Amino acid sequence: MGIVNIDDELHDQIRKASAVACRSINAQAAFWIKMGMLSELNPTLSFNEIVARELRAAGVEPPPLRSAA
């Protein structure tokens, strides 16, 4: 594990986002780094497509959708 130096403004944004996402500050930074890397490696995929692909790869299966009645 290493140390990453980031400016104070970015750290503040990570701290705020981590509270919203119920993640630690480190977990939020790691999420943003991973998503940025995946976005660069897959420029034709949307954020939602990348997340769905990663969830499937992890074995997460969504429950079937129910129709609105």
Side-chain angles (χ1 to χ4, degrees):
M1 181 185 335
I3 295 175
V4 176
N5 290 319
I6 59 172
D7 64 36
D8 291 339
E9 178 60 30
L10 181 56
H11 186 272
D12 190 48
Q13 294 299 314
I14 294 169
R15 181 184 54 76
K16 290 174 185 176
S18 72
V20 172
C22 299
R23 296 183 179 112
S24 69
I25 293 173
N26 285 345
Q28 183 65 41
F31 176 75
W32 280 357
I33 290 167
K34 181 176 181 175
M35 293 309 296
M37 182 185 68
L38 290 170
S39 295
E40 285 187 350
L41 293 172
N42 301 281
T44 61
L45 298 180
S46 70
F47 173 80
N48 288 337
E49 290 168 329
I50 291 171
V51 170
R53 188 185 75 175
E54 291 299 302
L55 288 171
R56 281 191 304 274
V60 175
E61 296 183 28
L65 294 176
R66 292 182 282 156
S67 62

